[in-house]
Amino acid sequence: MSQITTVIFDMYETLVENNPGLWQSTFQEIIQSQQLQVSISDLWREWKEIEVGFRDRRVKPDATFQSYFEGWRDCFAGAFQVLGIEGDPESASHKSIQDMSLRSPYEETIEAMKTLQENWRTAILSNADDGYLLPNAAALGLDFAEVLSSEECRCYKPEPGLFQEMLSRLDVAPSQAMYVGDRQYEDVKGASGVGMASVWINRTGAVLNPELPTPDYQINSLLELPGILTGETTGKA
């Protein structure tokens, strides 16, 4: 892996946590602040079902771009309608953006990144809005060469254009860059599609989908990356 000069990272569930429990805490605050007569579990269930549809639609060739703020606002509006409650979807989406900007790094993130940054350039490329990605990245206190969001590029991973824009900004060839992310579809497929080495960080032990591209490497901790980059460990998927 000696030709790799640059390691590009997904943000959420790769560098920082973003689990359902954090989201349900946000939902609890939304319910309390808006005085909604609904349980957290019911609101989460209906919202999430609509949000999955938003994620599916946004990568279709003829899709009109929607930011996360816009998509989540519409998800709240749809969930409120299904549940028959009067809520403020725009305020709920703002709260979601605010809480996303405060996500905490995984236990090993800072140590791993500081080690990597001694010998490799690092960057962040994330399906995210600037409103939460930029402050969250800044809060890590790390030196990233670039931080690029789907909102800025007006498209979502695995769209090749998003990865190509990052490579252009970094002035690096695909063969010199590695992409690390937690999703086989968005991250592994996206990176593989433009000729980058791909690393799937699989903290949960999920099974590879044989219908999607296989990652070049599979890890369960960011601390494994330096060994892969120096060739000391294989990390083969």
Side-chain angles (χ1 to χ4, degrees), residues 192-212:
S192 301
V194 298
M196 294 171 60
S198 62
V199 179
W200 184 30
I201 182 160
N202 181 12
R203 290 189 173 90
T204 63
V207 177
L208 280 167
N209 183 342
E211 297 181 1
L212 292 172

Side-chain angles (χ1 to χ4, degrees), residues 10-31:
D10 169 56
M11 182 65 163
Y12 295 93
E13 297 185 282
T14 297
L15 298 180
V16 301
E17 298 185 52
N18 189 35
N19 59 64
L22 294 170
W23 272 95
Q24 288 173 35
S25 294
T26 295
F27 277 43
Q28 181 177 21
E29 293 186 39
I30 290 168
I31 290 168

Side-chain angles (χ1 to χ4, degrees), residues 106-159:
Y106 283 100
E107 184 178 3
E108 85 277 14
T109 295
I110 303 303
E111 178 186 351
M113 296 303 296
K114 286 183 175 179
T115 299
L116 285 169
Q117 289 179 348
E118 291 177 359
N119 295 292
W120 294 274
R121 283 195 306 169
T122 60
I124 294 175
L125 172 61
S126 183
N127 278 350
D129 284 4
D130 284 345
Y132 61 86
L133 175 64
L134 298 183
N136 207 174
L140 296 177
L142 298 165
D143 183 21
F144 295 107
E146 286 282 347
V147 179
L148 180 61
S149 71
S150 54
E151 183 183 31
E152 184 173 352
C153 279
R154 311 293 290 179
C155 63
Y156 287 98
K157 298 182 293 183
E159 171 61 41

Side-chain angles (χ1 to χ4, degrees), residues 14-87:
T14 297
L15 298 180
V16 301
E17 298 185 52
N18 189 35
N19 59 64
L22 294 170
W23 272 95
Q24 288 173 35
S25 294
T26 295
F27 277 43
Q28 181 177 21
E29 293 186 39
I30 290 168
I31 290 168
Q32 290 174 342
S33 66
Q34 297 195 26
Q35 298 182 319
L36 303 176
Q37 300 302 308
V38 65
S39 69
I40 298 168
S41 59
D42 285 348
L43 180 57
W44 170 253
R45 182 189 66 249
E46 298 300 337
W47 182 90
K48 190 61 183 176
E49 182 175 344
I50 300 170
E51 204 254 356
V52 168
F54 160 61
R55 289 174 179 269
D56 289 343
R57 289 191 306 275
R58 71 189 186 183
V59 294
K60 295 187 182 301
D62 58 347
T64 299
F65 181 82
Q66 270 194 309
S67 67
Y68 274 98
F69 171 76
E70 294 166 332
W72 290 342
R73 177 199 60 202
D74 293 350
C75 292
F76 279 110
F80 292 161
Q81 183 177 17
V82 169
L83 293 164
I85 56 178
E86 294 290 334

